[in-house]
Amino acid sequence: MTNYGELLAAVASWMDRDDLASVLPSFVALAEEDMRRHLRVREMEQDFTATTDGRRALLPAGFLAFKTLYPQGRAVSPLQVRSVEQVNAASGAALAMYAIDGAHLLLNADAGVQGVMYQAAPALSATQPANALLAVYPSLYLFGALRYACAYVRDGEGEMAHAAQFQQKMEAANNMDAGSRFAGALRSRLA
């Protein structure tokens, strides 16, 4: 499965039904909604820079979370995520923390920041037939869509089975991505 059409065909084939064509896209969309909430892999990472205006900066479309966030030009100690109330209470102190306030980044000081954020992959559709997640994790899309297809046809057993596979694939993707970042660590030998 390398594109949206192949994914829809695979879901229909696995369901062994030809009466779901009009609702197949909604199953994929629901699976993508789950992935936006729970999946954090390198294919979703984007560089982020912003200069605040009154300690606030608008977050880009598709923003999900920060992986890291630092004062601009000082990528030594990362800013700490806190509640909006805590960030407001520390207003005017040295830049040390941030909060997400709706569609805005809120800092405890007016400053520039840089880092890496997780951004939602473009939603699959006829006009957006592929994305980086589908290229690397096609089974994640398949089992996510199958979960909702089974719910739609009221197949509780199938829904539970595919939901478990979807969850397992999502956890494996998150764990594999995190693990691969630290694979091949430096080793020392005693002479």
Side-chain angles (χ1 to χ4, degrees):
M1 290 172 293
T2 60
N3 63 54
Y4 186 62
E6 291 174 2
L7 174 61
L8 295 178
V11 174
S13 176
W14 277 59
M15 291 299 293
D16 196 23
R17 295 189 56 159
D18 57 7
D19 61 337
L20 299 176
S22 66
V23 291
L24 289 176
S26 65
F27 306 148
V28 173
L30 289 166
E32 287 178 317
E33 181 183 333
D34 288 339
M35 288 187 271
R36 284 189 295 274
R37 266 195 305 273
H38 303 291
L39 189 65
R40 299 292 182 266
V41 292
R42 72 182 71 205
E43 290 78 15
M44 301 169 78
E45 292 177 7
Q46 296 292 323
D47 289 334
F48 176 84
T49 58
T51 302
T52 58
D53 181 17
R55 300 186 307 120
R56 297 174 72 81
L58 185 64
L59 293 167
F63 171 83
L64 298 172
F66 283 111
K67 178 179 179 184
T68 58
L69 190 64
Y70 297 93
Q72 205 156 27
R74 296 184 296 147
V76 176
S77 59
L79 301 178
Q80 300 298 310
V81 63
R82 298 287 186 249
S83 71
V84 170
E85 294 77 17
Q86 289 172 310
V87 171
N88 282 331
S91 175
L95 181 59
M97 60 183 73
Y98 72 93
I100 305 302
D101 187 14
H104 291 88
L105 167 67
L106 177 65
L107 301 176
N108 71 300
D110 205 16
V113 291
Q114 66 188 49
V116 177
M117 67 175 190
Y118 289 105
Q119 189 168 27
L124 295 177
S125 67
T127 58
Q128 175 72 50
N131 65 28
L133 289 181
L134 181 63
V136 178
Y137 306 106
S139 62
L140 189 57
Y141 273 94
L142 176 64
F143 290 117
L146 286 170
R147 167 191 181 186
Y148 289 105
C150 287
Y152 181 81
V153 299
R154 294 176 174 37
D155 173 4
E157 187 176 311
E159 179 184 3
M160 286 178 32
H162 292 307
Q165 289 173 315
F166 180 61
Q167 183 64 34
Q168 181 183 36
K169 297 279 184 190
M170 193 149 8
E171 288 173 9
N174 282 330
N175 291 338
M176 181 180 73
D177 189 74
S180 71
R181 293 171 193 258
F182 303 105
L186 294 175
R187 297 180 193 180
S188 62
R189 304 190 315 203
L190 297 175

